[in-house]
Amino acid sequence: MEAYAVTPIFGLILLLAMIGGARWLLMLTAAMIPFGMMAVITLPSVGGLSLLAVNLSAAALVGWGCLALIGWVMAARPIRIEPATIALLCFAGYAIFSATVLVRLFAGESMVFALARGATGVRVSTFFAWGKVWLGPSNANISQTFYVLLACGFFVAAVHVLTRHGAGFGARCMALAAWLNLVLGIMDLAALDTLLSFIRTANYSLLNEATVKGIPRIVGGFSEPSGFASASAMFFGFFASAFLHSRRRGDAVLALGSGTMTVLALSSSGFIALAVVGVALAPRLLRLRARLRRPEIIVIAVIGGILTGVIAALLLFTSAPDMVASVIDDLIFSKTESSSGMERTAWAMGGLEALRDTWGLGAGTGSLRSNGMIFVLLGSVGIIGTGAFLAFLFLAFGGRARGANAAQLSNARMGGLAVLSTMMLSATVPDPGAPLMLLAAIAVASRRREPARAPEAASGARDYAGHIAGEI
């Protein structure tokens, strides 16, 4: 086991959060989302597996949730299960089945792109080094199934926390994470790599020196631009929607800053996520115009005039138009012609081939590397698992909410739309991840109407169990 300088600091913070209760664990997990490359412990005996801070925080919250569940049972309280939870449990159950049974049932029947980078296998193209191996059980089946179960447990625990403390508490957790993401992005922009190395501890390939047409790409607390762009686009969608509802300056700053960081990451998935969210928010922007007061219209006109002048100057007196056109062409229009684009296309097709070779059942969670969430799900958990996950998304983000919760539901949908847009383009494993699960929990909690309950007094085994249940 390998520890780092950040390990004892994070351990102390985690301990304090556990003492504070489930809401502090949820806030800590949200705060760790921008630290996508911060490993607390690395296990060389398990192929150098890095245990990320966000996953350990989520695991602590799940453990607390298990104690709460025991408390509810001991207190003989009714347990309410959301329809979205049932769909997610079905997805997790099939993920376990596929990783333990299907991978052995179809072993040797299909060739797949393995998750392990060391498994080069049989070369299938001269444009990239990744090769195919025969389908069979591996350690990746265990690790990826664990991540799926962790995401499922985190969602359930987060729903209970937000049901008690309100969906607005989830928005505060998102705000904390968004501010941290901005700080890390600014630090990377300022080339403070020495400081950032303190939290970039995972044994991933660090791509902070990557450029596009000589323009450096920002990665923040992540290992590569696409991860930072995905997180930044999520915060942009959430807080752009929040600003249109509240018109608070803090929401506007977070939305503008997160959108800027998404652009500076120079990731094709980030640009597409911004475009998707922009199109989704366009009707609300048009409706907002009718509700603006005169001072607000003047401020917007002044800012718009300044931006228009700056853009016009750049277009007329610099080579910016050619540079921007070249960057967009490389990142989006010519992406499939690059070695990376061809490699990811081959991964996506490999997922469909695995679906075909397994008769639509899937090759097993962690059995293959594909590209794009749909192709990953179809190749790994087949039609049944994919259907369960899509049902979860519909049940979690669908429906209506009333009053202030309607805004929270809308914000969660915009953030979820951004995350799903990037996952549909760049996901390689079936792990839903903490960001999407947190947004889904906010959406579910915003539709609940039951009032929050105060924790019961702890006296005796029964009252103690009720107290633990009340905490979460």
Side-chain angles (χ1 to χ4, degrees):
M1 184 177 70
E2 182 180 358
Y4 307 95
V6 73
T7 302
I9 299 175
F10 173 79
L12 177 60
I13 296 174
L14 180 61
L15 177 61
L16 293 175
M18 293 177 67
I19 295 173
R23 63 175 181 172
W24 290 102
L25 286 171
L26 178 61
M27 182 171 287
L28 177 61
T29 304
M32 290 299 103
I33 289 176
F35 296 85
M37 198 182 174
M38 191 171 91
V40 180
I41 296 173
T42 296
L43 303 175
S45 59
V46 194
L49 177 65
S50 296
L51 299 180
L52 300 181
V54 62
N55 291 332
L56 290 176
S57 302
L61 179 59
V62 172
W64 191 276
C66 292
L67 291 177
L69 180 61
I70 295 173
W72 280 79
V73 172
M74 292 177 62
R77 289 185 173 184
I79 299 175
R80 177 178 176 179
I81 301 179
E82 295 288 341
T85 301
I86 297 175
L88 188 60
L89 289 175
C90 291
F91 168 70
Y94 193 82
I96 296 173
F97 172 74
S98 67
T100 55
V101 176
L102 295 182
V103 65
R104 289 171 172 79
L105 179 64
F106 296 108
E109 297 292 329
S110 177
M111 295 197 75
V112 298
F113 291 101
L115 279 174
R117 288 186 174 272
T120 55
V122 180
R123 290 282 298 273
V124 296
S125 174
T126 58
F127 293 100
F128 48 88
W130 216 290
K132 285 189 170 183
V133 300
W134 286 106
L135 175 63
S138 68
N139 290 334
N141 295 117
I142 300 174
S143 61
Q144 290 303 315
T145 302
F146 167 76
Y147 288 134
V148 170
L149 293 177
L150 179 62
C152 177
F154 173 67
F155 168 78
V156 175
V159 167
H160 282 284
V161 174
L162 296 178
T163 297
R164 174 170 173 76
H165 297 285
F169 179 73
R172 292 194 292 273
C173 293
M174 289 289 293
L176 173 61
W179 281 115
L180 290 172
N181 190 66
L182 280 179
V183 170
L184 292 173
I186 293 172
M187 291 176 65
D188 189 29
L189 188 62
L192 300 177
D193 293 335
T194 302
L195 290 176
L196 288 172
S197 63
F198 185 70
I199 55 99
R200 291 172 175 169
T201 52
N203 60 351
Y204 302 156
S205 298
L206 179 59
L207 302 178
N208 62 330
E209 300 294 334
T211 62
V212 176
K213 298 297 182 182
I215 303 175
R217 306 173 73 181
I218 306 301
V219 301
F222 291 81
S223 61
E224 58 183 3
S226 61
F228 180 64
S230 177
S232 299
M234 172 188 69
F235 294 129
F236 167 77
F238 188 94
F239 289 103
S241 174
F243 172 71
L244 293 180
H245 283 290
S246 66
R247 283 183 278 176
R248 290 191 298 263
R249 283 178 292 181
D251 293 336
V253 171
L254 286 176
L256 182 61
S258 299
T260 302
M261 289 300 164
T262 307
V263 173
L264 293 178
L266 295 179
S267 169
S268 56
S269 57
F271 281 124
I272 292 175
L274 286 181
V276 171
V277 172
V279 170
L281 290 176
R284 288 166 55 184
L285 283 171
L286 297 176
R287 291 195 297 268
L288 177 66
R289 184 178 60 179
R291 302 197 302 269
L292 291 176
R293 295 186 295 270
R294 187 172 181 178
E296 294 174 327
I297 295 175
I298 294 175
V299 171
I300 292 175
V302 171
I303 295 175
I306 294 173
L307 290 176
T308 301
V310 171
I311 293 173
L314 290 174
L315 293 177
L316 291 174
F317 303 111
T318 70
S319 59
D322 295 335
M323 178 66 72
V324 172
S326 179
V327 170
I328 293 177
D329 181 67
D330 279 1
L331 291 177
I332 299 177
F333 299 110
S334 300
K335 178 70 174 179
T336 56
E337 299 175 4
S338 65
S339 59
S340 173
M342 288 187 287
E343 186 176 49
R344 287 186 172 271
T345 300
W347 293 351
M349 293 301 102
L352 293 180
E353 291 170 0
L355 177 70
R356 177 200 61 197
D357 294 341
T358 57
W359 301 92
L361 296 176
T365 306
S367 294
L368 57 87
R369 177 182 294 268
S370 189
N371 184 70
M373 196 61 177
I374 288 295
F375 298 104
V376 170
L377 290 173
L378 289 174
S380 300
V381 294
I383 297 174
I384 298 175
T386 303
F389 186 74
L390 294 177
F392 161 73
L393 293 177
F394 176 79
L395 294 171
F397 291 100
R400 295 182 179 180
R402 295 182 178 179
N405 280 343
Q408 299 297 345
L409 177 59
S410 178
N411 301 342
R413 284 172 176 167
M414 286 300 112
L417 182 62
V419 174
L420 288 171
S421 297
T422 58
M423 292 177 73
M424 291 299 176
L425 294 171
S426 59
T428 57
V429 293
D431 173 23
L436 182 63
M437 294 297 100
L438 176 58
L439 291 167
I442 294 174
V444 170
S446 67
R447 296 198 304 272
R448 281 197 172 184
R449 303 178 185 176
E450 57 186 348
R453 301 177 184 176
E456 298 179 0
S459 59
R462 183 183 181 91
D463 290 338
Y464 177 71
H467 174 70
I468 295 177
E471 276 295 313
I472 191 166

